[in-house]
Amino acid sequence: MIGLSSNRCVIDGELLELDDLRYTPAGVPRISLKIRHVSTQQEAGVSRQVQCDIPAVALGEAAQQVSRFKAGQSVRVEGFLAQRSLRIAQLVLHIDNINLK
Protein backbone atom coordinates (compact mmCIF):
# COMPACT_ATOMS: atom_id res chain seq x y z
CA MET A 1 0.00 0.00 0.00
CA ILE A 2 1.29 3.46 -0.91
CA GLY A 3 1.57 5.89 2.03
CA LEU A 4 -0.92 8.56 0.97
CA SER A 5 -1.57 11.43 3.34
CA SER A 6 -4.26 13.73 1.88
CA ASN A 7 -7.59 13.22 3.64
CA ARG A 8 -9.25 16.57 4.42
CA CYS A 9 -12.89 17.57 4.02
CA VAL A 10 -14.69 20.88 4.43
CA ILE A 11 -18.49 20.73 4.42
CA ASP A 12 -21.19 23.32 5.04
CA GLY A 13 -24.45 21.98 6.36
CA GLU A 14 -27.17 21.87 8.97
CA LEU A 15 -26.87 19.95 12.22
CA LEU A 16 -29.51 17.30 11.75
CA GLU A 17 -28.93 15.11 14.82
CA LEU A 18 -26.78 15.48 17.94
CA ASP A 19 -26.23 12.70 20.45
CA ASP A 20 -25.40 13.41 24.08
CA LEU A 21 -21.80 14.11 25.01
CA ARG A 22 -20.15 10.91 26.24
CA TYR A 23 -16.66 9.95 27.35
CA THR A 24 -14.36 7.23 26.06
CA PRO A 25 -12.90 4.75 28.58
CA ALA A 26 -9.80 6.98 28.57
CA GLY A 27 -11.94 9.99 29.60
CA VAL A 28 -11.90 11.79 26.23
CA PRO A 29 -15.14 13.67 25.38
CA ARG A 30 -16.92 12.21 22.33
CA ILE A 31 -20.10 13.13 20.47
CA SER A 32 -21.79 11.65 17.41
CA LEU A 33 -23.82 13.80 15.04
CA LYS A 34 -25.31 13.96 11.57
CA ILE A 35 -24.92 16.86 9.15
CA ARG A 36 -27.22 17.51 6.17
CA HIS A 37 -25.51 19.10 3.19
CA VAL A 38 -27.56 20.64 0.35
CA SER A 39 -25.98 22.48 -2.57
CA THR A 40 -25.71 22.86 -6.33
CA GLN A 41 -22.50 21.46 -7.80
CA GLN A 42 -21.07 21.44 -11.32
CA GLU A 43 -20.49 18.00 -12.81
CA ALA A 44 -19.44 17.48 -16.43
CA GLY A 45 -20.55 21.04 -17.20
CA VAL A 46 -24.06 20.53 -15.79
CA SER A 47 -25.56 21.88 -12.56
CA ARG A 48 -26.54 19.10 -10.17
CA GLN A 49 -28.57 19.33 -6.97
CA VAL A 50 -26.74 17.51 -4.19
CA GLN A 51 -28.16 16.42 -0.84
CA CYS A 52 -26.53 14.04 1.61
CA ASP A 53 -26.68 13.23 5.31
CA ILE A 54 -23.18 12.77 6.70
CA PRO A 55 -22.49 10.78 9.87
CA ALA A 56 -19.80 12.47 11.92
CA VAL A 57 -18.00 12.26 15.24
CA ALA A 58 -16.02 14.80 17.26
CA LEU A 59 -13.60 14.09 20.09
CA GLY A 60 -11.84 16.22 22.68
CA GLU A 61 -12.24 19.98 22.47
CA ALA A 62 -14.26 19.73 19.23
CA ALA A 63 -16.75 17.43 21.01
CA GLN A 64 -17.19 19.90 23.85
CA GLN A 65 -17.77 22.68 21.33
CA VAL A 66 -20.33 20.63 19.36
CA SER A 67 -22.21 19.73 22.55
CA ARG A 68 -23.15 23.42 22.95
CA PHE A 69 -24.76 23.55 19.49
CA LYS A 70 -28.39 22.74 18.67
CA ALA A 71 -30.01 20.76 15.87
CA GLY A 72 -31.01 23.07 13.01
CA GLN A 73 -27.96 25.34 13.25
CA SER A 74 -25.83 25.93 10.14
CA VAL A 75 -22.19 24.94 10.47
CA ARG A 76 -18.95 24.57 8.54
CA VAL A 77 -16.99 21.49 9.57
CA GLU A 78 -13.46 20.39 8.77
CA GLY A 79 -12.01 16.97 9.33
CA PHE A 80 -11.02 13.65 7.80
CA LEU A 81 -12.83 10.52 6.65
CA ALA A 82 -12.39 7.11 8.27
CA GLN A 83 -14.24 3.80 8.41
CA ARG A 84 -16.76 3.51 11.24
CA SER A 85 -14.83 0.48 12.58
CA LEU A 86 -12.64 -2.39 11.44
CA ARG A 87 -15.77 -4.40 10.62
CA ILE A 88 -18.05 -1.62 9.28
CA ALA A 89 -16.82 0.08 6.11
CA GLN A 90 -19.27 3.03 6.28
CA LEU A 91 -17.40 6.35 6.14
CA VAL A 92 -17.64 8.77 9.06
CA LEU A 93 -16.39 12.36 9.09
CA HIS A 94 -14.09 12.92 12.08
CA ILE A 95 -14.43 16.61 12.95
CA ASP A 96 -11.45 18.57 14.21
CA ASN A 97 -12.86 22.05 13.55
CA ILE A 98 -16.47 23.30 13.56
CA ASN A 99 -17.89 26.82 13.32
CA LEU A 100 -21.39 28.26 13.22
CA LYS A 101 -22.24 29.91 9.91
Side-chain angles (χ1 to χ4, degrees):
M1 178 184 285
I2 299 173
L4 302 175
S5 62
S6 289
N7 181 354
R8 296 297 301 165
C9 296
V10 177
I11 293 281
D12 291 337
E14 175 187 339
L15 289 174
L16 196 59
E17 297 173 11
L18 283 166
D19 288 348
D20 292 332
L21 183 67
R22 301 182 185 276
Y23 292 86
T24 68
V28 177
R30 180 187 194 285
I31 193 166
S32 295
L33 58 145
K34 190 174 287 185
I35 300 161
R36 174 162 290 158
H37 170 80
V38 179
S39 66
T40 302
Q41 300 294 319
Q42 292 294 314
E43 183 175 41
V46 177
S47 291
R48 176 180 174 185
Q49 290 298 115
V50 175
Q51 178 176 320
C52 54
D53 293 349
I54 304 162
V57 64
L59 287 103
E61 186 177 317
Q64 291 175 333
Q65 185 177 8
V66 171
S67 72
R68 294 188 290 271
F69 294 164
K70 305 258 186 275
Q73 289 184 300
S74 294
V75 294
R76 172 168 285 173
V77 298
E78 297 178 42
F80 62 91
L81 296 173
Q83 278 187 199
R84 180 169 296 283
S85 69
L86 290 175
R87 294 188 181 119
I88 302 173
Q90 178 187 22
L91 292 178
V92 175
L93 177 61
H94 286 249
I95 297 169
D96 51 37
N97 190 22
I98 184 166
N99 294 297
L100 290 176
K101 282 199 69 181

